[in-house]
């Protein structure tokens, strides 16, 4: 047995030694843990780890196959996202014990804090004492066994799994109910208790989902689908769209859901002009060879950075919102163009990983599809806080899209209207966030960049938190970003326009004297290389494209994203619809579009007299509207609009 004394070394060094010993097949004893965070995170070898004392946050988190024995107490999130193996805690556990559990067994001999088993998907969480409030909150599967009292609102918004309470059920959560327990279930639980030497001679009360909120009760009336460009037209007050919306709500009695993005006009990059030098237009040679576009992203804390052939990324979009065929096409296109693809919030597809040369792996609040093995396969990790189309809210995926394959990847029940949490279970504020970032770094040996995706809300404050919490880069999503499904009220009325969001982020960073080491990747309605140049000149480090890439790959903007009837096979999980999508053909189309973006960025940069896109600056821009001038602080020159259009036509 290898002994690791944490009184003589930091946890990072201790975890390195722990993983090295486990790789050799040796058991480990941890001395003087002193409630340190992240002990044993990311361990993927079937060894025994004995912790002589108390552990802090996320002990045994993101592990697979090991057995942890903690002598005393643990902090938040013991066994976080554990795939298999076991954790036995001799004392009490803090909040969210067994959070996002994907398998294995977490046994707490004492009491547990609030929200035990939140968003867990499989495995067993055993609480030998009492549980605090909201045990089983939003759990998708697995079982929780509480030998003492349940705590208030047990099973709140659970959609799968079962909770067994040996003491008093203090109160049931929303959409939870008590049902009869079979003799086989009772015998299985008692056998489980015997395995861990836990005596119990009482009776159990079984709690499951009541099934009243798994799907929306009333379907929206069928309306004629309009392409988003048509849907977005017209500004008369009592128009047909307004009347149709009122009629639909009178039938369903709730908010309406749709995909895509905001339809109302707001200030955007079209309200800014580029002051191109006419004498530079028509310069000899290929601008893509004359202008430096390559960059790296994510080296702020010494991780291996992403390498991009140009300052463009594929924006995060999930398997679920999009079909597998589309995700694979995006991965192929990203490889062909030398940029990076992003899994989005629905987990990593093996086919996607195979085709993408570089892949960012995103962690959602519901920990959908999240596991240590895919973390190790990824080139960068990303914490999703929210998105521009619905900042501050969780995701929605309608039941028709939650197929057997998708449910297995995400770890959720098949065929439910999936509504993921609006906030991470273990991130209540900036202090929690920095601990979460360090967990990801510890689990992957500090080798991968860690970014954050955030929707534009309180940008000036949020960007400061991101900088101080140590992210390698930020993906900032503005109001014009699209989504697979959201409330129309949110799409149109919540969030900050992309142009404003970028300026607020830059202002916020300037207020704390940032050193430029944390680039802002701007997204949300970036439609071409011209928009990209404007964003880069304003101060963005790079841009990300989502909707534009989908349109390049065949999207006809038919507004059927949320219902899964996408006629071209993009925003669907229906096999017949998806069969229409020609993955390799559309991958080439997306690649050609990205190459046109490359050419636009290079040509405009060259026309401005520069040899490197990093030379772009605010002095190359002018505002065409008083709103854009007020937002950005650029000089207001509405007469430049005609000049701008003529010059850009010449460049193109």
């Amino acid at each position: 047995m290898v002994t690791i004394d944490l009184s003589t070394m930091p946890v990072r060094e201790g975890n390195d030694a722990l993983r090295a010993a486990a790789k050799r097949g040796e058991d480990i004893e941890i001395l003087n843990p002193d409630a340190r965070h992240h002990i044993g995170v990311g361990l993927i070898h079937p060894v025994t780890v004995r912790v002589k004392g108390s552990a802090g946050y996320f002990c045994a988190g993101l592990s697979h196959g090991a057995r942890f024995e903690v002598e005393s107490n643990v902090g938040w999130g013991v066994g976080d996202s554990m795939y298999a193996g076991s954790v036995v805690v001799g004392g009490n556990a803090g909040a969210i014990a067994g959070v996002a559990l994907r398998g294995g067994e977490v046994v707490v001999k004492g009491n547990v804090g609030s929200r035990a088993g939140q968003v867990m998907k499989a495995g067993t969480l055993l609480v030998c004492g009492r549980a605090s409030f909201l045990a089983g909150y939003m759990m998708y599967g697995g079982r929780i066994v509480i030998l003492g009292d349940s705590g208030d609102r047990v099973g709140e918004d659970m959609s799968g799994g079962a909770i067994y309470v040996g003491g008093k059920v203090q109160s049931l959560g929303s959409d939870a109910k008590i049902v009869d327990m079979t003799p086989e279930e009772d015998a299985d639980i008692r056998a489980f208790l015997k395995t861990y030497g836990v005596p119990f001679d009482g009776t159990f009360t079984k709690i499951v989902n009541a099934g009243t909120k798994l799907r929306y009760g009333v379907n929206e009336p069928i309306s004629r689908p309009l392409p988003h460009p048509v849907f977005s037209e017209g500004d008369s007050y009592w128009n047909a769209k307004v009347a149709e919306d009122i009629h639909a709500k009178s039938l369903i009695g709730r908010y309406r859901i749709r995909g895509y993005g905001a339809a109302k006009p707001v200030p955007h990059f079209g309200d800014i002009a580029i002051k191109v030098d006419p004498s530079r237009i028509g310069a000899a040679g290929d601008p893509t060879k004359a202008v430096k576009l390559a960059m790296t992203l994510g080296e702020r804390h010494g991780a291996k950075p992403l390498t991009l052939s140009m300052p463009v990324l594929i924006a995060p979009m999930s398997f679920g919102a999009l079909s597998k065929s589309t995700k694979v096409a995006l991965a192929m296109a990203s490889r062909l163009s030398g940029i990076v693809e992003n899994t989005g919030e629905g987990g990593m597809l093996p086919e996607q990983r195979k085709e993408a040369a570089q892949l960012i792996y995103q962690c959602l609040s519901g920990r959908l599809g999240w596991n240590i093995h895919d973390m190790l396969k990824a080139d960068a990790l990303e914490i999703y806080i929210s998105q521009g189309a619905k900042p501050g809210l969780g995701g929605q995926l309608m039941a028709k899209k939650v197929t057997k394959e998708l449910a297995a990847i995400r770890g959720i029940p098949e065929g439910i209207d999936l509504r993921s949490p609006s906030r991470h279970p273990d991130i209540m504020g900036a202090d929690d966030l920095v601990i979460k970032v360090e967990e990801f770094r510890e689990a992957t040996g500090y080798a991968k960049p860690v970014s954050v995706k955030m929707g534009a809300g309180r940008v000036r404050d949020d960007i400061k938190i991101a900088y101080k919490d140590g992210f390698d880069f930020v993906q900032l999503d503005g109001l014009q970003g699209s989504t697979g499904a959201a409330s129309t009220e949110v799409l149109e009325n919540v969030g900050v326009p992309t142009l404003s969001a970028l300026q607020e982020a830059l202002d916020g960073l300037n207020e704390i004297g940032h050193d430029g080491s944390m680039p802002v990747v701007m997204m949300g309605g970036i439609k071409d290389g011209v928009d990209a140049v404007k964003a880069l000149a304003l101060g963005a480090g790079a841009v990300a494209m989502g909707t534009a890439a989908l349109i390049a790959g065949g999207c006809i903007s038919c507004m059927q994203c949320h219902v899964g009837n996408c006629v071209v096979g993009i925003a669907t999980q229906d096999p017949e619809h998806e069969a229409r999508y020609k993955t390799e053909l559309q991958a080439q189309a997306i690649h050609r579009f990205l190459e046109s973006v490359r050419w636009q960025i290079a040509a405009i940069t060259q026309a401005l007299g520069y040899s490197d896109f990093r030379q772009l600056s605010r002095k190359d821009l002018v505002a065409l509207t008083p709103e854009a001038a007020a937002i950005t602080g650029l000089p207001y020159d509405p007469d430049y609009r005609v000049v701008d259009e003529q010059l850009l036509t010449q460049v193109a």
Side-chain angles (χ1 to χ4, degrees):
M1 177 174 286
V2 174
T3 298
I4 297 173
D5 189 346
L6 291 183
S7 68
T8 64
M9 66 181 74
V11 171
R12 179 176 177 179
E13 186 178 331
N15 277 334
D16 286 342
L18 187 154
R19 282 190 283 266
K23 191 174 182 179
R24 298 191 300 267
E26 298 181 85
D27 293 339
I28 302 103
E29 184 177 64
I30 307 290
L31 301 180
N32 300 305
D34 295 333
R36 306 278 189 89
H37 301 326
H38 310 130
I39 293 174
V41 297
L43 188 62
I44 55 173
H45 299 285
V47 296
T48 297
V49 180
R50 296 187 175 92
V51 180
K52 297 295 187 177
S54 294
Y57 282 27
F58 305 126
C59 177
L62 298 164
S63 62
H64 186 172
R67 176 183 174 88
F68 287 81
E69 299 173 359
V70 183
E71 188 176 72
S72 190
N73 305 317
V74 293
W76 279 31
V78 60
D80 166 34
S81 301
M82 188 171 73
Y83 223 62
S86 63
V87 186
V88 180
V89 179
N92 301 319
I96 53 172
V99 59
L101 193 65
R102 287 296 298 262
E105 299 161 355
V106 175
V107 177
V108 179
K109 295 294 182 72
N111 305 318
V112 298
S114 63
R115 298 175 290 123
Q118 183 172 350
V119 298
M120 69 180 287
K121 300 165 180 68
T124 298
L125 169 62
L126 169 61
V127 180
C128 298
R130 301 183 307 276
S132 187
F133 60 90
L134 292 175
Y137 179 45
M138 295 193 78
M139 66 184 293
Y140 298 112
R143 69 179 178 182
I144 301 175
V145 181
I146 303 169
L147 300 187
D149 295 342
S150 70
D152 289 329
R153 296 166 65 186
V154 60
E156 178 88 5
D157 287 331
M158 63 188 296
S159 56
I163 304 171
Y164 303 89
V165 180
K168 179 183 178 182
V169 176
Q170 292 174 283
S171 66
L172 290 175
S174 173
D175 207 29
K177 68 177 182 180
I178 294 173
V179 297
D180 292 335
M181 181 176 174
T182 67
E184 291 78 13
E185 288 176 296
D186 186 80
D188 186 57
I189 291 175
R190 293 181 191 279
F192 179 82
L193 296 177
K194 186 176 180 181
T195 300
Y196 286 96
V198 177
F200 181 74
D201 57 5
T203 59
F204 289 105
T205 300
K206 180 181 178 182
I207 300 167
V208 298
N209 169 258
T212 63
K213 294 185 177 182
L214 292 180
R215 294 194 179 194
Y216 289 101
V218 180
N219 292 327
E220 291 187 25
I222 297 174
S223 58
R224 180 188 175 194
L226 294 174
H228 192 265
V230 177
F231 178 81
S232 305
E233 288 178 349
D235 57 2
S236 61
Y237 193 72
W238 292 111
N239 55 36
K241 184 168 67 173
V242 171
E244 191 265 344
D245 185 62
I246 293 172
H247 175 69
K249 288 173 181 173
S250 74
L251 296 175
I252 62 177
R254 58 168 168 80
Y255 59 85
R256 301 184 68 193
I257 300 169
R258 69 168 176 85
Y260 236 79
K264 67 181 181 183
V266 294
H268 198 40
F269 291 108
D271 297 320
I272 294 175
I274 301 171
K275 296 191 292 184
V276 176
D277 183 354
S279 66
R280 295 287 302 176
I281 296 176
D286 182 353
T288 62
K289 295 180 180 178
V291 176
K292 294 179 181 178
L293 296 179
M295 65 173 294
T296 58
L297 192 64
E299 58 265 58
R300 183 183 180 195
H301 292 286
K304 180 182 178 182
L306 301 168
T307 57
L308 306 176
S309 67
M310 58 178 166
V312 176
L313 297 78
I314 300 293
M317 297 176 283
S318 73
F319 167 56
L322 304 183
S323 66
K324 178 189 288 189
S325 299
T326 304
K327 288 301 292 179
V328 172
L330 290 166
M332 294 171 67
S334 71
R335 171 173 48 79
L336 293 170
S337 289
I339 59 174
V340 61
E341 155 70 332
N342 191 307
T343 65
E345 60 196 55
M348 184 188 295
L349 290 164
E351 299 90 340
Q352 177 190 30
R353 175 64 277 188
K354 179 181 178 182
E355 293 294 346
Q358 298 177 102
L359 185 61
I360 300 172
Y361 182 36
Q362 194 178 84
C363 176
L364 186 68
S365 55
R367 307 291 149 82
L368 304 173
W370 188 249
N371 66 86
I372 181 60
H373 299 291
D374 288 341
M375 290 175 71
L376 295 172
K377 293 175 187 174
D379 299 288
L381 309 172
E382 183 164 274
I383 295 178
Y384 169 105
I385 298 298
S386 66
Q387 63 188 95
K390 46 188 177 186
L393 300 178
Q396 287 193 101
L397 195 66
M398 301 299 99
K400 187 172 182 180
K401 285 187 169 185
V402 184
T403 62
K404 183 176 181 180
E405 179 186 20
L406 186 137
I409 289 176
R410 293 196 176 201
I412 61 174
E414 179 183 355
I416 65 170
D417 280 329
L418 174 63
R419 293 179 287 271
S420 55
S422 60
R423 65 190 306 168
H424 287 260
D426 39 23
I427 302 172
M428 299 292 110
D431 292 341
D432 296 330
L433 180 56
V434 73
I435 295 172
K436 194 67 186 174
V437 173
E438 287 304 306
E439 182 198 16
F440 289 2
R441 295 195 196 280
E442 285 285 349
T444 55
Y446 288 75
K448 303 175 189 297
V450 181
S451 63
V452 60
K453 176 187 175 181
M454 60 186 192
R458 291 177 289 191
V459 181
R460 191 182 296 260
D461 296 327
D462 292 343
I463 199 74
K464 295 173 185 176
I465 292 172
Y467 183 77
K468 291 181 178 180
D469 279 0
F471 285 102
D472 291 294
F473 61 96
V474 171
Q475 298 219 65
L476 179 59
D477 198 14
L479 171 67
Q480 288 98 322
S482 294
T483 181
S487 159
T488 54
E489 284 80 2
V490 171
L491 283 170
E492 300 295 350
N493 301 296
V494 179
V496 175
T498 301
L499 191 63
S500 304
L502 176 57
Q503 189 61 53
E504 277 203 46
L506 298 172
D507 290 345
L509 288 172
N510 286 332
E511 287 173 2
I512 58 174
H514 74 111
D515 59 7
S517 63
M518 187 186 75
V520 176
V521 179
M522 198 65 224
M523 54 190 172
I526 307 292
K527 63 183 182 297
D528 53 25
V530 179
D531 283 353
V533 167
K534 294 174 182 178
L536 295 167
L538 280 171
V543 299
M545 293 182 162
T547 302
L550 294 184
I551 293 173
C555 171
I556 60 173
S557 311
C558 68
M559 304 289 284
Q560 298 297 294
C561 314
H562 61 301
V563 296
N565 291 334
C566 175
V567 295
V568 293
I570 293 176
T572 184
Q573 302 304 320
D574 179 77
E576 292 186 13
H577 286 85
E578 186 177 356
R580 300 169 183 168
Y581 196 80
K582 308 304 178 187
T583 300
E584 293 190 9
L585 182 69
Q586 298 298 355
Q588 291 291 338
I590 299 168
H591 167 55
R592 287 193 297 271
F593 166 71
L594 292 171
E595 293 308 300
S596 77
V597 170
R598 181 194 310 279
W599 192 91
Q600 286 178 312
I601 296 172
I604 295 171
T605 301
Q606 186 184 53
L608 287 166
Y610 305 134
S611 60
D612 191 322
F613 82 89
R614 298 166 188 81
Q615 296 172 281
L616 295 166
S617 69
R618 298 170 64 86
K619 73 178 190 299
D620 300 312
L621 304 175
V622 62
L624 301 177
T625 66
E627 292 84 3
I631 289 168
T632 62
L634 294 172
Y636 175 44
D637 188 356
D639 295 333
Y640 202 84
R641 183 182 295 276
V642 175
V643 177
D644 176 62
E645 291 174 354
Q646 292 173 345
L647 290 174
L648 287 180
T649 300
Q650 287 180 261
V651 170

